[in-house]
Amino acid sequence: MLDIDINSAVAIALSEDLNGLSADDGDITANLIPANQNITADIITREECVLAGVAWVTETFAQLDKAIRLQWFAKDGDRLHANQPIVRVTGNARRILTAERTALNFLQTLSATATIVAKCVKELEGTNTQLLDTRKTLPGMRLAQKYAVTCGGGTNHRIGLFDAYLIKENHILACGSIQAAVEKARQHHPHLPVEVEVENIQELLQAIAAKADIVMLDNFSLDMLKQAVTLNEGQCKLEVSGNITIAELKRLSGLGVDFISSGALTKHVQAVDLSLRVIEITTTKL
């Protein structure tokens, strides 16, 4: 599933730049460079980060020219320091420069997700609380960002609408009650996990009574969270969600909850500052 997604995502991204044309016809600036000119260039990071996106970069260059050679100095999940070389790229100058922005776009975005996740996971060290992502991903980047979360040490929540139940307020209203919604879920797909999002203690008790696998405590106050843990007595897994900040992670994990989920890990990403630097230019005979 991920391999197919990488191939497709890269093809779409390149097509955006080339207007659906070939590299020869679509990159008018690269055509200023002699066709027989080769370069060697390093992609470096200008800031500390956790790397994610190696496969997307590799696929980007491969789709334009399979003769381009990549020498990786780091792998996904590695912690990098400022000005550290990530990969050396050697091959046709036109093709490398056509691929440059697409490759960097994937790498800077996915590394940004991995980096913030790693910072959050560090705050949870020594606890049994897992950090989860959400479906609040950039359009077209769902699997890529979910993968980046794992590179940072986080855990994936459901991938989409197909692999787990998450029964929210509107689902509950449409079904009639939490109990009715959970019962229908068990009938339709008994092998899938059932999670219920609740907004108050009364709904929590209803979800526990319905035997939900996981209960998401949405925007609970600290006192409500403490009460929820006490009332639950380990009957369901508890997930905390809603405007989570790094500063709150230690305190929240100390309450004994099983999961903390945050959409900010994927939707509030600030791209890592990367750069491609040419270090050698050569010419081949025509």
Side-chain angles (χ1 to χ4, degrees):
M1 188 175 180
L2 186 58
D3 288 341
I4 294 171
D5 187 78
I6 293 169
N7 181 280
S8 174
V10 168
I12 291 171
L14 288 173
S15 182
E16 285 178 335
D17 258 349
L18 298 170
N19 195 31
L21 303 172
S22 68
D24 284 329
D25 296 326
D27 189 347
I28 58 176
T29 310
N31 285 335
L32 301 175
I33 303 169
N36 62 335
Q37 189 171 104
N38 297 322
I39 60 172
T40 296
D42 285 348
I43 295 178
I44 68 166
T45 175
R46 297 182 182 276
E47 58 183 306
E48 292 184 1
C49 68
V50 174
L51 184 65
V54 166
W56 284 262
V57 173
T58 300
E59 180 67 17
T60 299
F61 287 108
Q63 286 196 19
L64 285 173
D65 185 353
K66 294 188 183 301
I68 294 174
R69 302 190 308 277
L70 303 181
Q71 180 186 358
W72 287 95
F73 304 123
K75 63 183 183 301
D76 285 343
D78 283 353
R79 296 176 181 269
L80 309 180
H81 56 75
N83 299 313
Q84 181 174 341
I86 301 171
V87 59
R88 179 159 294 172
V89 187
T90 302
N92 181 267
R94 287 185 179 182
R95 297 296 179 260
I96 289 175
L97 296 182
T98 296
E100 175 185 0
R101 176 42 51 197
T102 297
L104 292 180
N105 282 348
F106 281 115
L107 202 61
Q108 70 188 18
T109 302
L110 299 184
S111 295
T113 293
T115 300
I116 188 61
V117 168
K119 291 178 181 177
C120 291
V121 168
K122 186 173 179 59
E123 294 297 307
L124 299 177
E125 284 182 353
T127 75
N128 293 320
T129 304
Q130 289 182 291
L131 181 71
L132 302 179
D133 53 24
T134 73
R135 287 172 47 244
K136 296 176 182 178
T137 52
L138 302 177
M141 293 285 284
R142 172 66 55 77
L143 290 184
Q145 286 193 289
K146 291 276 188 178
Y147 170 79
V149 166
T150 67
C151 291
T155 302
N156 293 149
H157 205 282
R158 59 180 182 159
I159 300 299
L161 298 172
F162 58 90
D163 57 328
Y165 284 100
L166 180 48
I167 299 169
K168 299 188 177 187
E169 177 185 11
N170 290 332
H171 301 109
I172 296 167
L173 288 172
C175 289
S177 68
I178 290 175
Q179 182 71 42
V182 172
E183 286 179 356
K184 287 183 180 180
R186 298 290 189 204
Q187 292 168 6
H188 291 177
H189 296 284
H191 62 289
L192 293 180
V194 177
E195 180 168 359
V196 178
E197 180 181 278
V198 301
E199 298 179 347
N200 53 57
I201 295 298
Q202 182 180 3
E203 289 181 349
L204 166 66
L205 294 175
Q206 292 172 18
I208 293 173
K211 299 188 183 306
D213 297 306
I214 308 170
V215 179
M216 179 188 292
L217 309 172
D218 185 41
N219 285 301
F220 272 39
S221 68
L222 189 61
D223 286 341
M224 289 173 65
L225 289 173
K226 291 177 180 178
Q227 187 179 359
V229 172
T230 300
L231 291 171
N232 182 50
E233 295 182 322
Q235 297 175 78
C236 304
K237 298 287 187 181
L238 295 181
E239 175 183 335
V240 178
S241 186
N243 299 309
I244 305 298
T245 65
I246 293 180
E248 296 174 307
L249 290 174
K250 279 188 181 298
R251 181 173 59 177
L252 292 175
S253 63
L255 299 176
V257 296
D258 301 284
F259 309 109
I260 298 175
S261 60
S262 173
L265 302 174
T266 49
K267 69 172 182 168
H268 291 169
V269 291
Q270 181 174 339
V272 172
D273 189 6
L274 305 177
S275 178
L276 184 143
R277 293 178 176 175
V278 175
I279 60 176
E280 184 180 16
I281 301 175
T282 58
T283 303
T284 58
K285 293 182 179 181
L286 294 174

